[in-house]
Amino acid sequence: MSELREKLLYKPKHGLDRLSETERQEMEAYSRAYMSFLDHGKTERDCVDTAIELAEARGFVPYAPGMELEPGKKVYVNNRGKGIMLAVIGKQSLAEGAHIGAAHTDAPRLDLKPNPLYEDTELAYFKTHHYGGIRKYQWVTVPLELHGVVVKADGETVRVTIGDKPTDPQFVINDLLPHLGREQGKKPLNEAIPSESLNILVGTQPLRDDDGSDRVKLAVLAYLHNAYGITEEDFISAELEAVPAANARELGFDRSLIGAYGHDDRVCAYAELHAILELDVPEKTAVCIFADKEEIGSEGVSGMMSEAFDYFMESMCKQQGVDLRTCYSKSFCLSADVTAAYDPNFAEVYEKRNSAFVNYGVGLCKYTGAGGKSGASDASAEVVGYVRNLFNQNGVIWQMAEMGKTDAGGGGTVAKFMAQRNIDTLDAGVPVLSMHAPYETVAKLDCYMTYRGMKAIFEDAR
């Protein structure tokens, strides 16, 4: 009877009980490399810069239409500094399709408004507009860094990074003290901190020898002009992002977890990057995508709905005399995005039998969306079966997952935009605790297995 139970029942096992000592060492080394990537990739622009640095060190070169694409050629396209696509040309023609990993590197944050700087009661602030789905109460009293670019009146682009070095100042959004917070405490969480109150405190010292108004604001502008040569009008053509000022750290007495800002979805982006950097000459062309704008619907020229990806793929197809649609019809994409990890502290919003668990491996998600699968690509049984069998053959620890109870909410990925291109697609990624918070938590085991899964996809010949 025990043999029958073993044969018929589906009982996932804790991933750390299934690793060899060699795999544990590989997991730790991979985790250290991933944490370094996070520390250097606080924004989507930072992630692109870091990816290019790592890729060029492994022989990747900028792609140019018409260049020779012999098997093993490693190329990349920088999409406006906010997205990147890398490819390793395979032995088979693109007429047989490509194996694609698609992740996003934008994360919830606070963007500065076009006219952000103001002074009130001799306190200088930046006005912000939150980007993506955040719980606003989580962002007050959190140390913040400032990253981004400013395009000045003369067209010069200036890179701004303040707060990531030990000697840098950092920033913060004030909250109401509990002694005066009785009425605030009666409000729902989503209303207690209004969006327009997410104002970043940036200075209190007035400019000396000036008897005009807004002396603190003027002092802040004087600092920015001295440091970066920018004026107040230059904010209009700037992309400045406030992100949590915290580097990745191991969590727990056993150091089995990683805490950081931006796991969603840089944990999957790094997995596919690490995997493609290790490729030599794959059977099928492997493509790695860092997309932007997923957190706001994948719109824009750097998002997955953009034709930038199609242009890159079509250009490569033309070099081989292949029709783009033929290539897409034979391709497979792993939409590498995180999923919700079961949290017993909030068990009421999860359906336990169909949830992803920390340390049980990469989560395969047949569909995302909301309610009746609205907004999902809903992968076929054949696609799920292909990935399931491939992962089993390659020792990848995996689990099936949903994003909580059916009516509890929902979420989306880039999967449906790949499916719209006639590319078979399945969501797969790392289970995350405290998703979209300024500090998220993942398990090293799940990170490592997501990389192993992506590597298996890239190396598969089918």
Side-chain angles (χ1 to χ4, degrees):
M1 188 63 70
S2 61
E3 292 181 1
L4 189 63
R5 285 180 172 275
E6 184 70 24
K7 179 179 179 180
L8 298 183
L9 294 181
Y10 172 57
K11 288 189 176 181
K13 298 177 182 178
H14 196 290
L16 292 174
D17 290 333
R18 302 168 62 181
L19 291 187
S20 67
E21 184 56 35
T22 298
E23 287 175 318
R24 283 178 178 270
Q25 292 175 7
E26 291 175 351
M27 178 185 73
E28 292 296 336
Y30 175 82
S31 297
R32 288 192 295 273
Y34 168 55
M35 291 168 69
S36 175
F37 175 80
L38 282 177
D39 291 348
H40 289 89
K42 297 291 181 70
T43 70
E44 69 283 2
R45 289 182 183 270
D46 296 336
C47 288
V48 169
D49 290 345
T50 304
I52 290 174
E53 181 180 347
L54 294 172
E56 289 185 341
R58 300 297 289 268
F60 283 76
V61 297
Y63 174 75
M67 70 190 306
E68 290 295 323
L69 295 177
E70 67 276 5
K73 184 75 172 183
K74 300 178 179 182
V75 298
Y76 72 86
V77 170
N78 180 348
N79 185 9
R80 299 167 172 86
K82 304 183 74 174
I84 189 171
M85 295 162 283
L86 306 97
V88 179
I89 307 304
K91 299 174 184 177
Q92 299 181 22
S93 165
L94 282 166
E96 300 303 317
H99 285 163
I100 304 164
H104 68 92
T105 52
D106 61 315
R109 60 179 189 257
L110 301 176
D111 289 341
L112 298 198
K113 290 192 175 188
N115 187 20
L117 183 58
Y118 75 98
E119 179 179 336
D120 190 338
T121 323
E122 297 183 308
L123 300 174
Y125 294 93
F126 278 151
K127 296 289 297 182
T128 70
H129 193 132
H130 63 85
Y131 173 97
I134 69 169
R135 308 194 78 180
K136 290 170 285 188
Y137 74 90
Q138 294 178 335
W139 287 75
V140 296
T141 72
V142 173
L144 300 171
E145 300 175 4
L146 198 63
H147 293 248
V149 298
V150 179
V151 180
K152 300 195 296 184
D154 62 2
E156 179 189 0
T157 299
V158 179
R159 199 69 176 255
V160 175
T161 303
I162 307 173
D164 66 332
K165 299 180 180 62
T167 56
D168 282 356
Q170 294 178 340
F171 310 96
V172 73
I173 298 171
N174 303 326
D175 193 11
L176 185 61
L177 65 163
H179 311 72
L180 301 177
R182 181 178 300 174
E183 292 303 314
Q184 181 194 49
K186 296 177 182 178
K187 297 178 180 180
L189 282 177
N190 290 336
E191 299 175 12
I193 305 292
S195 295
E196 293 297 344
S197 70
L198 294 174
N199 303 316
I200 302 172
L201 183 63
V202 297
T204 65
Q205 181 172 290
L207 191 68
R208 291 184 177 182
D209 303 322
D210 184 275
D211 56 2
S213 60
D214 292 345
R215 292 195 301 148
V216 178
K217 172 182 175 179
L218 189 58
V220 170
L221 285 170
Y223 168 83
L224 292 172
H225 188 265
N226 290 336
Y228 301 101
I230 61 178
T231 67
E232 184 173 16
E233 186 177 329
D234 292 330
F235 283 120
I236 292 172
S237 52
E239 288 182 2
L240 293 172
E241 306 172 10
V243 300
N247 284 344
R249 295 292 297 269
E250 294 175 312
L251 300 182
F253 291 115
D254 55 10
R255 299 175 181 263
S256 62
L257 305 167
I258 301 173
Y261 163 68
H263 284 313
D264 179 10
D265 183 36
R266 292 161 193 162
V267 67
C268 297
Y270 183 74
E272 62 177 20
L273 176 66
H274 195 86
I276 203 168
L277 293 184
E278 293 184 338
L279 290 181
D280 184 18
V281 185
E283 288 296 320
K284 287 193 172 185
T285 294
V287 180
C288 167
I289 304 168
F290 281 19
D292 184 25
K293 297 290 187 287
E294 192 278 339
E295 296 295 358
I296 58 173
S298 295
E299 308 281 356
V301 293
S302 53
M304 205 61 246
M305 291 180 68
S306 166
E307 291 189 0
F309 170 67
D310 305 291
Y311 177 77
F312 175 51
M313 293 298 298
E314 185 175 33
S315 182
M316 290 196 297
C317 284
K318 282 182 177 179
Q319 284 297 104
Q320 299 184 6
V322 175
D323 177 68
L324 175 65
R325 289 175 295 180
T326 299
C327 174
Y328 280 172
S329 70
K330 299 288 186 67
S331 294
F332 173 78
C333 175
L334 200 68
S335 172
D337 208 341
V338 299
T339 189
Y342 180 82
D343 188 336
N345 291 304
F346 306 101
E348 66 277 6
V349 298
Y350 296 90
E351 202 274 278
K352 195 170 184 179
R353 290 179 56 85
N354 290 283
S355 292
F357 294 87
V358 170
N359 282 314
Y360 277 71
V362 54
L364 307 184
C365 198
K366 187 177 185 296
Y367 46 81
T368 54
K373 302 184 181 180
S374 175
S377 68
D378 200 3
S380 69
E382 291 84 354
V383 168
V384 178
Y386 160 66
V387 175
R388 171 190 168 200
N389 290 329
L390 180 65
F391 282 7
N392 285 340
Q393 292 167 14
N394 287 274
V396 179
I397 300 173
W398 59 273
Q399 58 185 316
M400 288 304 295
E402 283 192 340
M403 284 282 286
K405 286 184 176 178
T406 302
D407 293 327
T413 68
V414 302
K416 65 179 180 180
F417 306 118
M418 303 307 286
Q420 286 171 4
R421 293 174 163 95
N422 195 27
I423 300 173
D424 279 331
T425 306
L426 177 66
D427 277 307
V430 174
V432 177
L433 294 165
S434 306
M435 189 188 298
H436 280 212
Y439 206 69
E440 301 169 316
T441 300
V442 298
K444 291 179 179 178
L445 179 282
D446 302 329
C447 300
Y448 175 60
M449 285 300 156
T450 300
Y451 146 70
R452 289 269 299 269
M454 200 69 253
K455 188 169 185 281
I457 294 291
F458 284 154
E459 292 179 344
D460 188 40
R462 284 173 287 177

